[in-house]
Amino acid sequence: MSIRSKTTAAVASAAAMAFFAGTALAASPGAPGAGDPYFPKYGNGGYDVSHYDIRLNYNPTGDQLSGTTTILAKATQDLTQFNLDFLLKVKSVRVNNVPASFVSDDGELTLTPRGGVRKGQDLTIVVTYADSPSTVKNGNGFTAWTKTPDGALAIGEPEIASWWFPSNDHPTDKATFDVNVAVPTGVEAISNGTFVGQTRQINGYTRWNWRSTKPQATYLTFLTIGQFELRQGTTPSGQPYVNAYSERLGDNADAAKASIERTPEVVEFLSENFGPYPFEAQGGVVTPNLGYALENQTRPTYDTGFFRRGANTYVVAHELGHQWFGDSVSVHHWRDIWLNEGFASYAEFLWSEHVGEGTAQENADFTYDLYPADSEFWNVLPGDPGAGAVFDGAVYDRGALAVHALRVAVGDEKFFEILKTWVAEKKYSDATIEEFIALAERVSGQQLDQLFQTWLFTKGKPAEAPGRSADV
Ligand code: ARG
Ligand code: ZN
């Protein structure tokens, strides 16, 4: 053994030590949250997801869900470990084909990939799991997954993903989706986007394959399983649609159809006001057991109760309004919820005027008069309602009044230019209320701080209904 070779070895190991020392200094655990002030544990840091492939089996008898989610992502920093948001029992995890150790704790699945991850590295994360989701509770003792008599509903806002797929569960990290779910043949399994067909499985199961090709938030990704009547076809604008009606709608079934079947008409009307419809498919799902409606991307879900007095196209206009305001342009923080609910509620005012049931101004007057000045309603700030009040009535109704106040202040031409510019500039992305105000000021050339201060950020009933004419 020569001195020379010994020297070489020493040099080599010094270089190796320097390399690992450098890595150890830069690499750190990914943050367990996305930095949302209302919900600090939602989402995670250190990586960016581009695609989810969710491949599951569901047995409605016994609420048994099992399968695999494959996540394509890219590391945004050097990582020693990182988190996914997930509540179900995990069987195995692989990162780039190598088994990774993992720990599940209160909705955070922490992965430690062997050798760490470098900034910019492509990640393929494979998580296999099996659980009975309706029995799984989050830290608040709450279950978002709903077991129904004939299946299940994975629908919720802001929380649902953690009950059926591991994710970076925050609207600031959207991705495309394939949702492929096998259920007993004869049962329907419905999700977002385009229906790509069925595949027969072993043991009497049929797999339903759905694909979303536009960026989609985790909470807007849904799964509905049960006995449904499906209606599908192509809209006049050339888009595929699938509507699904639970076989348990009873007397509401026809009123539901008289509403949901008009989805393409409502989309067409809203497109004239907001700009082109942002997605590749349309539809609606009507079911009992939900208790509200939710703007699931391309295919909102409606509780049957909305149709108990006949057709209700207002809720359709609301949920479809969200396709622009909420789904394509998403909240940056959940605090920005007015960007969703204020504008979806205003879509109802616009629809009312369109169908001749009252102008937007008349709806604004009516809404303003609905709440007396001493009502608690006026103490919830649509611009910052608090984590416990993101769906408070004030976010919707006072939120719509704020939108109308803007319209009155800038005039119709600038108002619709603001809406269209907003959805075009922020398409498939996320945004804050502050960014909306800045854009409204830019497009209108007006100083609007006082208006938004009054309608979004100040407690108490503003002195006047926006735009009400003095002689009425
Ligand atoms: N974004 C839905 C809508 O306005 C409301 C969701 C309410 N969520 C709930 N858990 N109730 O249509
Ligand atoms: Zn809404």
Side-chain angles (χ1 to χ4, degrees), residues 65-100:
L65 184 74
S66 62
T68 302
T69 290
T70 302
I71 301 172
L72 303 182
K74 198 184 262 297
T76 55
Q77 65 178 73
D78 290 349
L79 288 165
T80 52
Q81 60 175 53
F82 61 94
N83 284 16
L84 294 168
D85 300 303
F86 198 44
L87 284 160
L88 304 187
K89 227 170 277 142
V90 172
K91 295 208 290 199
S92 69
V93 178
R94 283 180 180 251
V95 176
N96 292 352
N97 296 297
V98 179

PDB file of all heavy atoms in Angstrom, residues 65-100:
ATOM      1  N   LEU A  65     -62.699   0.695   2.999  1.00  0.00           N
ATOM      2  CA  LEU A  65     -61.991   1.402   1.926  1.00  0.00           C
ATOM      3  C   LEU A  65     -60.538   0.960   1.929  1.00  0.00           C
ATOM      4  O   LEU A  65     -59.888   0.966   2.983  1.00  0.00           O
ATOM      5  CB  LEU A  65     -62.070   2.916   2.158  1.00  0.00           C
ATOM      6  CG  LEU A  65     -61.459   3.807   1.070  1.00  0.00           C
ATOM      7  CD1 LEU A  65     -62.349   3.835  -0.179  1.00  0.00           C
ATOM      8  CD2 LEU A  65     -61.260   5.235   1.592  1.00  0.00           C
ATOM      9  N   SER A  66     -60.030   0.563   0.761  1.00  0.00           N
ATOM     10  CA  SER A  66     -58.625   0.172   0.709  1.00  0.00           C
ATOM     11  C   SER A  66     -58.064   0.498  -0.661  1.00  0.00           C
ATOM     12  O   SER A  66     -58.814   0.646  -1.630  1.00  0.00           O
ATOM     13  CB  SER A  66     -58.469  -1.336   0.977  1.00  0.00           C
ATOM     14  OG  SER A  66     -59.148  -2.072  -0.023  1.00  0.00           O
ATOM     15  N   GLY A  67     -56.762   0.630  -0.738  1.00  0.00           N
ATOM     16  CA  GLY A  67     -56.142   0.882  -2.026  1.00  0.00           C
ATOM     17  C   GLY A  67     -54.857   1.666  -1.923  1.00  0.00           C
ATOM     18  O   GLY A  67     -54.166   1.627  -0.892  1.00  0.00           O
ATOM     19  N   THR A  68     -54.574   2.380  -3.009  1.00  0.00           N
ATOM     20  CA  THR A  68     -53.275   3.042  -3.156  1.00  0.00           C
ATOM     21  C   THR A  68     -53.467   4.432  -3.741  1.00  0.00           C
ATOM     22  O   THR A  68     -54.238   4.605  -4.685  1.00  0.00           O
ATOM     23  CB  THR A  68     -52.400   2.234  -4.144  1.00  0.00           C
ATOM     24  OG1 THR A  68     -52.267   0.907  -3.642  1.00  0.00           O
ATOM     25  CG2 THR A  68     -51.022   2.849  -4.304  1.00  0.00           C
ATOM     26  N   THR A  69     -52.784   5.400  -3.188  1.00  0.00           N
ATOM     27  CA  THR A  69     -52.681   6.705  -3.831  1.00  0.00           C
ATOM     28  C   THR A  69     -51.232   6.944  -4.222  1.00  0.00           C
ATOM     29  O   THR A  69     -50.321   6.772  -3.400  1.00  0.00           O
ATOM     30  CB  THR A  69     -53.195   7.835  -2.915  1.00  0.00           C
ATOM     31  OG1 THR A  69     -54.616   7.715  -2.787  1.00  0.00           O
ATOM     32  CG2 THR A  69     -52.864   9.209  -3.490  1.00  0.00           C
ATOM     33  N   THR A  70     -51.036   7.281  -5.489  1.00  0.00           N
ATOM     34  CA  THR A  70     -49.697   7.596  -5.998  1.00  0.00           C
ATOM     35  C   THR A  70     -49.645   9.092  -6.267  1.00  0.00           C
ATOM     36  O   THR A  70     -50.495   9.630  -6.984  1.00  0.00           O
ATOM     37  CB  THR A  70     -49.420   6.805  -7.289  1.00  0.00           C
ATOM     38  OG1 THR A  70     -49.551   5.409  -6.996  1.00  0.00           O
ATOM     39  CG2 THR A  70     -48.024   7.094  -7.821  1.00  0.00           C
ATOM     40  N   ILE A  71     -48.669   9.742  -5.671  1.00  0.00           N
ATOM     41  CA  ILE A  71     -48.557  11.202  -5.755  1.00  0.00           C
ATOM     42  C   ILE A  71     -47.296  11.563  -6.530  1.00  0.00           C
ATOM     43  O   ILE A  71     -46.210  11.062  -6.220  1.00  0.00           O
ATOM     44  CB  ILE A  71     -48.493  11.819  -4.339  1.00  0.00           C
ATOM     45  CG1 ILE A  71     -49.750  11.449  -3.536  1.00  0.00           C
ATOM     46  CG2 ILE A  71     -48.314  13.338  -4.410  1.00  0.00           C
ATOM     47  CD1 ILE A  71     -49.678  11.850  -2.062  1.00  0.00           C
ATOM     48  N   LEU A  72     -47.462  12.414  -7.549  1.00  0.00           N
ATOM     49  CA  LEU A  72     -46.296  12.959  -8.244  1.00  0.00           C
ATOM     50  C   LEU A  72     -46.047  14.365  -7.712  1.00  0.00           C
ATOM     51  O   LEU A  72     -46.959  15.192  -7.700  1.00  0.00           O
ATOM     52  CB  LEU A  72     -46.544  13.011  -9.755  1.00  0.00           C
ATOM     53  CG  LEU A  72     -46.904  11.688 -10.428  1.00  0.00           C
ATOM     54  CD1 LEU A  72     -47.081  11.904 -11.933  1.00  0.00           C
ATOM     55  CD2 LEU A  72     -45.836  10.620 -10.164  1.00  0.00           C
ATOM     56  N   ALA A  73     -44.830  14.622  -7.262  1.00  0.00           N
ATOM     57  CA  ALA A  73     -44.520  15.912  -6.645  1.00  0.00           C
ATOM     58  C   ALA A  73     -43.082  16.285  -6.952  1.00  0.00           C
ATOM     59  O   ALA A  73     -42.319  15.495  -7.520  1.00  0.00           O
ATOM     60  CB  ALA A  73     -44.744  15.839  -5.138  1.00  0.00           C
ATOM     61  N   LYS A  74     -42.741  17.515  -6.583  1.00  0.00           N
ATOM     62  CA  LYS A  74     -41.354  17.984  -6.714  1.00  0.00           C
ATOM     63  C   LYS A  74     -40.952  18.645  -5.405  1.00  0.00           C
ATOM     64  O   LYS A  74     -41.729  19.438  -4.850  1.00  0.00           O
ATOM     65  CB  LYS A  74     -41.264  18.981  -7.877  1.00  0.00           C
ATOM     66  CG  LYS A  74     -39.865  19.211  -8.396  1.00  0.00           C
ATOM     67  CD  LYS A  74     -39.847  20.288  -9.485  1.00  0.00           C
ATOM     68  CE  LYS A  74     -39.850  19.782 -10.902  1.00  0.00           C
ATOM     69  NZ  LYS A  74     -38.691  18.986 -11.306  1.00  0.00           N
ATOM     70  N   ALA A  75     -39.760  18.315  -4.923  1.00  0.00           N
ATOM     71  CA  ALA A  75     -39.289  18.923  -3.679  1.00  0.00           C
ATOM     72  C   ALA A  75     -38.938  20.386  -3.927  1.00  0.00           C
ATOM     73  O   ALA A  75     -38.302  20.718  -4.928  1.00  0.00           O
ATOM     74  CB  ALA A  75     -38.070  18.172  -3.156  1.00  0.00           C
ATOM     75  N   THR A  76     -39.353  21.261  -3.022  1.00  0.00           N
ATOM     76  CA  THR A  76     -39.034  22.688  -3.159  1.00  0.00           C
ATOM     77  C   THR A  76     -37.911  23.098  -2.203  1.00  0.00           C
ATOM     78  O   THR A  76     -37.569  24.267  -2.109  1.00  0.00           O
ATOM     79  CB  THR A  76     -40.281  23.549  -2.886  1.00  0.00           C
ATOM     80  OG1 THR A  76     -40.810  23.207  -1.595  1.00  0.00           O
ATOM     81  CG2 THR A  76     -41.349  23.304  -3.939  1.00  0.00           C
ATOM     82  N   GLN A  77     -37.382  22.129  -1.462  1.00  0.00           N
ATOM     83  CA  GLN A  77     -36.226  22.372  -0.596  1.00  0.00           C
ATOM     84  C   GLN A  77     -35.555  21.024  -0.337  1.00  0.00           C
ATOM     85  O   GLN A  77     -36.151  19.976  -0.603  1.00  0.00           O
ATOM     86  CB  GLN A  77     -36.674  22.993   0.745  1.00  0.00           C
ATOM     87  CG  GLN A  77     -37.545  22.041   1.571  1.00  0.00           C
ATOM     88  CD  GLN A  77     -37.967  22.616   2.914  1.00  0.00           C
ATOM     89  OE1 GLN A  77     -38.810  23.494   2.986  1.00  0.00           O
ATOM     90  NE2 GLN A  77     -37.371  22.095   3.986  1.00  0.00           N
ATOM     91  N   ASP A  78     -34.314  21.051   0.185  1.00  0.00           N
ATOM     92  CA  ASP A  78     -33.707  19.811   0.656  1.00  0.00           C
ATOM     93  C   ASP A  78     -34.505  19.334   1.863  1.00  0.00           C
ATOM     94  O   ASP A  78     -34.838  20.134   2.744  1.00  0.00           O
ATOM     95  CB  ASP A  78     -32.248  20.048   1.078  1.00  0.00           C
ATOM     96  CG  ASP A  78     -31.335  20.334  -0.107  1.00  0.00           C
ATOM     97  OD1 ASP A  78     -31.776  20.135  -1.267  1.00  0.00           O
ATOM     98  OD2 ASP A  78     -30.185  20.744   0.132  1.00  0.00           O
ATOM     99  N   LEU A  79     -34.823  18.040   1.895  1.00  0.00           N
ATOM    100  CA  LEU A  79     -35.715  17.533   2.936  1.00  0.00           C
ATOM    101  C   LEU A  79     -35.117  16.309   3.636  1.00  0.00           C
ATOM    102  O   LEU A  79     -34.647  15.384   2.964  1.00  0.00           O
ATOM    103  CB  LEU A  79     -37.054  17.112   2.323  1.00  0.00           C
ATOM    104  CG  LEU A  79     -37.998  18.216   1.839  1.00  0.00           C
ATOM    105  CD1 LEU A  79     -39.075  17.627   0.938  1.00  0.00           C
ATOM    106  CD2 LEU A  79     -38.629  18.920   3.040  1.00  0.00           C
ATOM    107  N   THR A  80     -35.179  16.297   4.942  1.00  0.00           N
ATOM    108  CA  THR A  80     -34.869  15.075   5.686  1.00  0.00           C
ATOM    109  C   THR A  80     -36.132  14.236   5.851  1.00  0.00           C
ATOM    110  O   THR A  80     -36.093  13.017   5.886  1.00  0.00           O
ATOM    111  CB  THR A  80     -34.346  15.414   7.093  1.00  0.00           C
ATOM    112  OG1 THR A  80     -35.277  16.314   7.719  1.00  0.00           O
ATOM    113  CG2 THR A  80     -32.968  16.069   7.014  1.00  0.00           C
ATOM    114  N   GLN A  81     -37.265  14.915   5.976  1.00  0.00           N
ATOM    115  CA  GLN A  81     -38.569  14.257   6.057  1.00  0.00           C
ATOM    116  C   GLN A  81     -39.626  15.252   5.602  1.00  0.00           C
ATOM    117  O   GLN A  81     -39.363  16.440   5.482  1.00  0.00           O
ATOM    118  CB  GLN A  81     -38.850  13.788   7.488  1.00  0.00           C
ATOM    119  CG  GLN A  81     -38.855  14.936   8.494  1.00  0.00           C
ATOM    120  CD  GLN A  81     -39.251  14.477   9.899  1.00  0.00           C
ATOM    121  OE1 GLN A  81     -38.666  13.547  10.427  1.00  0.00           O
ATOM    122  NE2 GLN A  81     -40.244  15.140  10.484  1.00  0.00           N
ATOM    123  N   PHE A  82     -40.832  14.747   5.318  1.00  0.00           N
ATOM    124  CA  PHE A  82     -41.930  15.652   4.970  1.00  0.00           C
ATOM    125  C   PHE A  82     -43.253  14.988   5.324  1.00  0.00           C
ATOM    126  O   PHE A  82     -43.310  13.797   5.596  1.00  0.00           O
ATOM    127  CB  PHE A  82     -41.879  16.062   3.490  1.00  0.00           C
ATOM    128  CG  PHE A  82     -42.004  14.918   2.516  1.00  0.00           C
ATOM    129  CD1 PHE A  82     -43.241  14.562   1.997  1.00  0.00           C
ATOM    130  CD2 PHE A  82     -40.885  14.201   2.110  1.00  0.00           C
ATOM    131  CE1 PHE A  82     -43.367  13.517   1.087  1.00  0.00           C
ATOM    132  CE2 PHE A  82     -40.997  13.154   1.206  1.00  0.00           C
ATOM    133  CZ  PHE A  82     -42.242  12.811   0.696  1.00  0.00           C
ATOM    134  N   ASN A  83     -44.316  15.797   5.314  1.00  0.00           N
ATOM    135  CA  ASN A  83     -45.628  15.318   5.760  1.00  0.00           C
ATOM    136  C   ASN A  83     -46.638  15.254   4.626  1.00  0.00           C
ATOM    137  O   ASN A  83     -46.587  16.047   3.685  1.00  0.00           O
ATOM    138  CB  ASN A  83     -46.208  16.265   6.821  1.00  0.00           C
ATOM    139  CG  ASN A  83     -45.555  16.079   8.174  1.00  0.00           C
ATOM    140  OD1 ASN A  83     -44.494  15.473   8.274  1.00  0.00           O
ATOM    141  ND2 ASN A  83     -46.207  16.596   9.195  1.00  0.00           N
ATOM    142  N   LEU A  84     -47.576  14.329   4.785  1.00  0.00           N
ATOM    143  CA  LEU A  84     -48.832  14.357   4.041  1.00  0.00           C
ATOM    144  C   LEU A  84     -49.938  14.496   5.080  1.00  0.00           C
ATOM    145  O   LEU A  84     -49.753  14.117   6.238  1.00  0.00           O
ATOM    146  CB  LEU A  84     -49.028  13.059   3.242  1.00  0.00           C
ATOM    147  CG  LEU A  84     -48.040  12.813   2.107  1.00  0.00           C
ATOM    148  CD1 LEU A  84     -48.156  11.371   1.607  1.00  0.00           C
ATOM    149  CD2 LEU A  84     -48.300  13.780   0.958  1.00  0.00           C
ATOM    150  N   ASP A  85     -51.082  15.043   4.677  1.00  0.00           N
ATOM    151  CA  ASP A  85     -52.240  15.102   5.567  1.00  0.00           C
ATOM    152  C   ASP A  85     -53.077  13.849   5.317  1.00  0.00           C
ATOM    153  O   ASP A  85     -53.515  13.616   4.182  1.00  0.00           O
ATOM    154  CB  ASP A  85     -53.054  16.370   5.273  1.00  0.00           C
ATOM    155  CG  ASP A  85     -52.220  17.627   5.478  1.00  0.00           C
ATOM    156  OD1 ASP A  85     -51.693  17.803   6.581  1.00  0.00           O
ATOM    157  OD2 ASP A  85     -52.078  18.411   4.512  1.00  0.00           O
ATOM    158  N   PHE A  86     -53.302  13.053   6.368  1.00  0.00           N
ATOM    159  CA  PHE A  86     -54.026  11.795   6.180  1.00  0.00           C
ATOM    160  C   PHE A  86     -54.426  11.225   7.532  1.00  0.00           C
ATOM    161  O   PHE A  86     -53.646  11.245   8.480  1.00  0.00           O
ATOM    162  CB  PHE A  86     -53.143  10.783   5.432  1.00  0.00           C
ATOM    163  CG  PHE A  86     -53.903   9.636   4.821  1.00  0.00           C
ATOM    164  CD1 PHE A  86     -55.085   9.841   4.139  1.00  0.00           C
ATOM    165  CD2 PHE A  86     -53.406   8.330   4.912  1.00  0.00           C
ATOM    166  CE1 PHE A  86     -55.772   8.775   3.559  1.00  0.00           C
ATOM    167  CE2 PHE A  86     -54.084   7.272   4.338  1.00  0.00           C
ATOM    168  CZ  PHE A  86     -55.270   7.483   3.663  1.00  0.00           C
ATOM    169  N   LEU A  87     -55.655  10.693   7.599  1.00  0.00           N
ATOM    170  CA  LEU A  87     -56.152  10.164   8.869  1.00  0.00           C
ATOM    171  C   LEU A  87     -56.277   8.643   8.888  1.00  0.00           C
ATOM    172  O   LEU A  87     -56.396   8.044   9.958  1.00  0.00           O
ATOM    173  CB  LEU A  87     -57.532  10.765   9.179  1.00  0.00           C
ATOM    174  CG  LEU A  87     -57.551  12.216   9.672  1.00  0.00           C
ATOM    175  CD1 LEU A  87     -58.943  12.831   9.475  1.00  0.00           C
ATOM    176  CD2 LEU A  87     -57.132  12.294  11.146  1.00  0.00           C
ATOM    177  N   LEU A  88     -56.283   8.005   7.714  1.00  0.00           N
ATOM    178  CA  LEU A  88     -56.551   6.558   7.693  1.00  0.00           C
ATOM    179  C   LEU A  88     -55.291   5.752   8.022  1.00  0.00           C
ATOM    180  O   LEU A  88     -54.178   6.270   7.979  1.00  0.00           O
ATOM    181  CB  LEU A  88     -57.095   6.140   6.319  1.00  0.00           C
ATOM    182  CG  LEU A  88     -58.345   6.867   5.816  1.00  0.00           C
ATOM    183  CD1 LEU A  88     -58.846   6.215   4.525  1.00  0.00           C
ATOM    184  CD2 LEU A  88     -59.441   6.887   6.869  1.00  0.00           C
ATOM    185  N   LYS A  89     -55.518   4.468   8.324  1.00  0.00           N
ATOM    186  CA  LYS A  89     -54.437   3.550   8.690  1.00  0.00           C
ATOM    187  C   LYS A  89     -53.596   3.216   7.458  1.00  0.00           C
ATOM    188  O   LYS A  89     -54.097   2.709   6.457  1.00  0.00           O
ATOM    189  CB  LYS A  89     -55.041   2.253   9.259  1.00  0.00           C
ATOM    190  CG  LYS A  89     -54.389   1.776  10.544  1.00  0.00           C
ATOM    191  CD  LYS A  89     -55.185   0.631  11.168  1.00  0.00           C
ATOM    192  CE  LYS A  89     -56.360   1.129  11.997  1.00  0.00           C
ATOM    193  NZ  LYS A  89     -57.565   0.279  11.885  1.00  0.00           N
ATOM    194  N   VAL A  90     -52.295   3.507   7.537  1.00  0.00           N
ATOM    195  CA  VAL A  90     -51.381   3.301   6.409  1.00  0.00           C
ATOM    196  C   VAL A  90     -50.696   1.948   6.528  1.00  0.00           C
ATOM    197  O   VAL A  90     -50.286   1.537   7.614  1.00  0.00           O
ATOM    198  CB  VAL A  90     -50.332   4.438   6.367  1.00  0.00           C
ATOM    199  CG1 VAL A  90     -49.252   4.154   5.331  1.00  0.00           C
ATOM    200  CG2 VAL A  90     -51.023   5.767   6.089  1.00  0.00           C
ATOM    201  N   LYS A  91     -50.588   1.250   5.385  1.00  0.00           N
ATOM    202  CA  LYS A  91     -49.907  -0.052   5.385  1.00  0.00           C
ATOM    203  C   LYS A  91     -48.454   0.064   4.932  1.00  0.00           C
ATOM    204  O   LYS A  91     -47.573  -0.588   5.467  1.00  0.00           O
ATOM    205  CB  LYS A  91     -50.664  -1.018   4.462  1.00  0.00           C
ATOM    206  CG  LYS A  91     -52.063  -1.314   5.000  1.00  0.00           C
ATOM    207  CD  LYS A  91     -52.582  -2.669   4.581  1.00  0.00           C
ATOM    208  CE  LYS A  91     -52.904  -2.703   3.102  1.00  0.00           C
ATOM    209  NZ  LYS A  91     -53.815  -3.819   2.760  1.00  0.00           N
ATOM    210  N   SER A  92     -48.214   0.888   3.893  1.00  0.00           N
ATOM    211  CA  SER A  92     -46.837   1.024   3.415  1.00  0.00           C
ATOM    212  C   SER A  92     -46.672   2.329   2.665  1.00  0.00           C
ATOM    213  O   SER A  92     -47.650   2.903   2.165  1.00  0.00           O
ATOM    214  CB  SER A  92     -46.471  -0.140   2.484  1.00  0.00           C
ATOM    215  OG  SER A  92     -47.196  -0.017   1.275  1.00  0.00           O
ATOM    216  N   VAL A  93     -45.435   2.784   2.621  1.00  0.00           N
ATOM    217  CA  VAL A  93     -45.110   3.997   1.869  1.00  0.00           C
ATOM    218  C   VAL A  93     -43.818   3.758   1.095  1.00  0.00           C
ATOM    219  O   VAL A  93     -42.857   3.208   1.645  1.00  0.00           O
ATOM    220  CB  VAL A  93     -44.909   5.215   2.805  1.00  0.00           C
ATOM    221  CG1 VAL A  93     -44.536   6.451   1.991  1.00  0.00           C
ATOM    222  CG2 VAL A  93     -46.135   5.478   3.651  1.00  0.00           C
ATOM    223  N   ARG A  94     -43.804   4.156  -0.153  1.00  0.00           N
ATOM    224  CA  ARG A  94     -42.554   4.167  -0.917  1.00  0.00           C
ATOM    225  C   ARG A  94     -42.338   5.576  -1.463  1.00  0.00           C
ATOM    226  O   ARG A  94     -43.298   6.220  -1.891  1.00  0.00           O
ATOM    227  CB  ARG A  94     -42.599   3.180  -2.084  1.00  0.00           C
ATOM    228  CG  ARG A  94     -42.411   1.741  -1.655  1.00  0.00           C
ATOM    229  CD  ARG A  94     -42.468   0.797  -2.838  1.00  0.00           C
ATOM    230  NE  ARG A  94     -42.283  -0.574  -2.363  1.00  0.00           N
ATOM    231  CZ  ARG A  94     -41.179  -1.296  -2.591  1.00  0.00           C
ATOM    232  NH1 ARG A  94     -40.189  -0.812  -3.325  1.00  0.00           N
ATOM    233  NH2 ARG A  94     -41.068  -2.521  -2.099  1.00  0.00           N
ATOM    234  N   VAL A  95     -41.094   6.007  -1.444  1.00  0.00           N
ATOM    235  CA  VAL A  95     -40.726   7.271  -2.084  1.00  0.00           C
ATOM    236  C   VAL A  95     -39.672   6.937  -3.133  1.00  0.00           C
ATOM    237  O   VAL A  95     -38.627   6.377  -2.797  1.00  0.00           O
ATOM    238  CB  VAL A  95     -40.193   8.299  -1.065  1.00  0.00           C
ATOM    239  CG1 VAL A  95     -39.739   9.568  -1.784  1.00  0.00           C
ATOM    240  CG2 VAL A  95     -41.255   8.614  -0.015  1.00  0.00           C
ATOM    241  N   ASN A  96     -39.984   7.224  -4.385  1.00  0.00           N
ATOM    242  CA  ASN A  96     -39.109   6.875  -5.513  1.00  0.00           C
ATOM    243  C   ASN A  96     -38.680   5.416  -5.456  1.00  0.00           C
ATOM    244  O   ASN A  96     -37.506   5.074  -5.581  1.00  0.00           O
ATOM    245  CB  ASN A  96     -37.911   7.834  -5.572  1.00  0.00           C
ATOM    246  CG  ASN A  96     -38.361   9.234  -5.944  1.00  0.00           C
ATOM    247  OD1 ASN A  96     -39.521   9.451  -6.302  1.00  0.00           O
ATOM    248  ND2 ASN A  96     -37.467  10.205  -5.852  1.00  0.00           N
ATOM    249  N   ASN A  97     -39.673   4.555  -5.204  1.00  0.00           N
ATOM    250  CA  ASN A  97     -39.542   3.094  -5.253  1.00  0.00           C
ATOM    251  C   ASN A  97     -38.811   2.474  -4.070  1.00  0.00           C
ATOM    252  O   ASN A  97     -38.622   1.269  -4.035  1.00  0.00           O
ATOM    253  CB  ASN A  97     -38.884   2.633  -6.565  1.00  0.00           C
ATOM    254  CG  ASN A  97     -39.768   2.975  -7.751  1.00  0.00           C
ATOM    255  OD1 ASN A  97     -40.890   2.455  -7.842  1.00  0.00           O
ATOM    256  ND2 ASN A  97     -39.314   3.870  -8.610  1.00  0.00           N
ATOM    257  N   VAL A  98     -38.429   3.281  -3.100  1.00  0.00           N
ATOM    258  CA  VAL A  98     -37.742   2.758  -1.924  1.00  0.00           C
ATOM    259  C   VAL A  98     -38.687   2.876  -0.721  1.00  0.00           C
ATOM    260  O   VAL A  98     -39.268   3.946  -0.500  1.00  0.00           O
ATOM    261  CB  VAL A  98     -36.444   3.552  -1.642  1.00  0.00           C
ATOM    262  CG1 VAL A  98     -35.741   3.017  -0.394  1.00  0.00           C
ATOM    263  CG2 VAL A  98     -35.530   3.505  -2.853  1.00  0.00           C
ATOM    264  N   PRO A  99     -38.842   1.791   0.041  1.00  0.00           N
ATOM    265  CA  PRO A  99     -39.712   1.900   1.215  1.00  0.00           C
ATOM    266  C   PRO A  99     -39.250   3.039   2.127  1.00  0.00           C
ATOM    267  O   PRO A  99     -38.058   3.205   2.365  1.00  0.00           O
ATOM    268  CB  PRO A  99     -39.540   0.543   1.916  1.00  0.00           C
ATOM    269  CG  PRO A  99     -39.120  -0.386   0.824  1.00  0.00           C
ATOM    270  CD  PRO A  99     -38.279   0.439  -0.121  1.00  0.00           C
ATOM    271  N   ALA A 100     -40.185   3.828   2.600  1.00  0.00           N
ATOM    272  CA  ALA A 100     -39.871   4.943   3.503  1.00  0.00           C
ATOM    273  C   ALA A 100     -40.509   4.654   4.855  1.00  0.00           C
ATOM    274  O   ALA A 100     -41.598   4.086   4.921  1.00  0.00           O
ATOM    275  CB  ALA A 100     -40.409   6.243   2.931  1.00  0.00           C
TER     276      ALA A 100
END
